[in-house]
Amino acid sequence: MSVQSRAVSEPPAELADGTRFIVPEAAAGAWIGQHAKIAAWQDGGWRFYQPVEGWIAFCADENQLLVFHEEAWQILRSTSGFAERLGINATAEAPNRLALAGDASLFNHEGGGHQVKINKAAATDTASILYQTDFSGRAELGLTGDDDFHLKVSADGETFIEAMVVQSATGIASFPSGIAGVRERLVAPRTLFVSTTGSDAADGLGPDTAFATLQRAVDAAHMLDCMTFDVTIQLAGGTHQGAVVLRPLVGGGLLRIQGDDDDPFSVVVSSGILAGGGARVSVSGVRFVMALPWMSAVAVQEGAMLTLGAVDFGPCGANGSHIAGTGFGQINFLGDYTISGGALRHFNLSGHLMVTSNNQTVTLVDDPAFIEEFAFVSNGAVLSLWNATFSGSATGRRYTATTNGTISLFGGGEAFLPGNAAGIVNAGGILA
């Protein structure tokens, strides 16, 4: 049935037969004492009907369905179990329990603000909005797999590229794929992760989203405005290709390539790390084993600065050296290291290059063989080993100092460097 209103307290006059009202509590006139009853005008008089539990009436002035429940008229509302699925101009099918087809959807306020909430059970679940083309995903934003806020896009609905990540703990936004014309500005040191099971399409910001290659991590570091903060590239266990670093980080800071200082043998670099163009790089916790005969393990050129920590130099090929450098560069040792394989030379230094070691212990394992000599210094390069200690032995000539190259052993003597053949000094070379 229908009623005109449940808010009119005094009976109206001159009504059409069949007009009905719900009598309010504070009623007057002919409605006194008829609270909650249906008042119906018929043949010039009022008739009253006592509702019972479950009667339903449409109230015209409220545009609401009312139900008589617990001795009162109430707005009829559906409960949470009223319908398992709801389709509005569409068919609701699992897993979409709510489906709507139309030109637009409106979520309006009710006198104040309005929130749309998407809740998930655990941090590893997903709470997101997925945008589709012909039911194929093209963009997604929300909490996808953790509690950080992600924005990612896809060209095919299968492979998604991370565009932005906002860390839930700090509020810091990162842009793994870069921003056209804008660099991400760091507000704290950054760690990028590399794993043999990673992907260069990932963001590299955690072990679970690691890059696949060291070079991809180096390139990502150069996309940042570091604001003097360091960037650490953390290599997981396994074998990795090397990388080329030909410029310093934007905004300063040191690029750290870090493996496992406690077990460098677990993190192998199979091709060289080259630093040039004024780059500032440190390497520690890795073992170098060169896959090609002409590769050097580490090389410095063009004013770069390289710092070496707890590393192991494994075998290089017939034309590759462990440490090579030329041209106004600098190499420093900040930790003890080992040599477990042979090479053309351990040190192969030329040009205005400075190599310094203070108080380091170098351990030689299994008598590594050097085809030419342990240390070759020429054209003004300087090798400075202060208070160094060599443990173990090697085969090959100890040194060659030529064309104004200087080897400074601080009194160590001609037999100080590893090898089983005497060194050579000529053409202005210096051994001191």
Side-chain angles (χ1 to χ4, degrees):
M1 63 180 166
S2 65
V3 297
Q4 295 298 308
S5 176
R6 59 173 173 164
V8 176
S9 59
E10 187 171 345
E14 299 183 3
L15 296 172
D17 283 352
T19 303
R20 291 171 295 276
F21 296 84
I22 293 176
V23 179
E25 185 172 4
W31 289 357
I32 293 177
Q34 306 297 332
H35 170 55
K37 293 181 180 180
I38 303 294
W41 180 259
Q42 185 70 37
D43 299 328
W46 293 102
R47 294 189 179 185
F48 299 97
Y49 300 92
Q50 176 63 50
V52 297
E53 181 79 11
W55 274 24
I56 296 175
F58 175 75
C59 186
D61 66 349
E62 296 181 33
N63 194 29
Q64 294 273 16
L65 276 177
L66 306 178
V67 62
F68 191 75
H69 175 58
E70 295 180 346
E71 303 300 323
W73 287 97
Q74 304 175 27
I75 295 175
L76 179 62
R77 303 183 187 276
S78 63
T79 65
S80 58
F82 190 80
E84 292 186 357
R85 294 184 179 89
L86 176 61
I88 304 174
N89 195 31
T91 301
E93 298 177 338
N96 303 310
R97 292 181 177 271
L98 172 63
L100 180 150
D103 295 331
S105 303
L106 173 63
F107 297 86
N108 194 20
H109 68 85
E110 194 176 29
H114 188 92
Q115 286 184 322
V116 177
K117 300 177 181 180
I118 303 176
N119 184 49
K120 62 179 183 176
T124 54
D125 295 330
T126 291
S128 69
I129 298 175
L130 180 65
Y131 298 88
Q132 298 179 318
T133 297
D134 193 24
F135 297 102
S136 177
R138 290 298 181 266
E140 185 175 12
L141 73 156
L143 313 180
T144 56
D146 54 36
D147 282 340
D148 296 338
F149 185 81
H150 298 257
L151 171 61
K152 54 183 72 175
V153 294
S154 176
D156 57 11
E158 297 181 1
T159 301
F160 279 80
I161 301 171
E162 200 89 66
M164 182 182 72
V165 180
V166 182
Q167 297 178 20
S168 58
T170 64
I172 296 173
S174 61
F175 302 88
S177 300
I179 307 176
V182 179
R183 293 181 183 272
E184 179 190 357
R185 178 173 292 180
L186 296 186
V187 296
R190 172 65 55 86
T191 298
L192 301 173
F193 294 84
V194 177
S195 171
T196 56
T197 60
S199 168
D200 282 349
D203 60 23
L205 296 177
D208 295 335
T209 56
F211 293 129
T213 63
L214 174 58
Q215 189 64 61
R216 175 68 179 89
V218 169
D219 295 342
H222 281 119
M223 295 170 65
L224 303 170
D225 182 351
C226 294
M227 297 293 291
T228 74
F229 291 108
D230 295 344
V231 176
T232 298
I233 299 174
Q234 181 64 57
L235 300 177
T239 299
H240 305 269
Q241 294 183 347
V244 176
V245 187
L246 295 180
R247 61 185 184 276
L249 297 178
V250 175
L254 181 65
L255 180 64
R256 302 178 184 273
I257 299 173
Q258 181 66 49
D260 186 344
D261 284 350
D262 295 328
D263 184 16
F265 273 65
S266 67
V267 184
V268 176
V269 176
S270 62
S271 57
I273 294 177
L274 170 63
R280 297 176 62 235
V281 182
S282 75
V283 181
S284 187
V286 303
R287 184 182 191 228
F288 292 97
V289 178
M290 295 300 97
L292 297 175
W294 50 268
M295 284 184 173
S296 293
V298 295
V300 170
Q301 63 185 26
E302 297 171 352
M305 184 180 75
L306 175 66
T307 301
L308 295 172
V311 299
D312 175 82
F313 290 101
C316 290
N319 296 310
S321 299
H322 289 148
I323 301 170
T326 183
F328 298 99
Q330 183 176 350
I331 300 174
N332 300 316
F333 292 87
L334 293 182
D336 300 337
Y337 68 94
T338 61
I339 302 173
S340 62
L344 179 69
R345 299 178 173 105
H346 181 62
F347 292 108
N348 189 2
L349 313 176
S350 177
H352 296 283
L353 180 75
M354 172 68 75
V355 179
T356 58
S357 173
N358 298 318
N359 297 305
Q360 269 73 57
T361 295
V362 181
T363 302
L364 293 91
V365 180
D366 296 332
D367 201 29
F370 295 96
I371 297 171
E372 293 290 344
E373 57 265 299
F374 183 81
F376 177 83
V377 183
S378 68
N379 295 317
V382 176
L383 173 62
S384 174
L385 304 176
W386 186 82
N387 199 30
T389 300
F390 291 94
S391 174
S393 60
T395 61
R397 189 163 54 244
R398 290 189 172 89
Y399 59 84
T400 296
T402 185
T403 56
N404 298 319
T406 299
I407 300 175
S408 181
L409 304 178
F410 298 92
E414 295 181 355
F416 180 75
L417 294 175
N420 60 358
I424 298 173
V425 176
N426 62 26
I430 300 172
L431 177 71

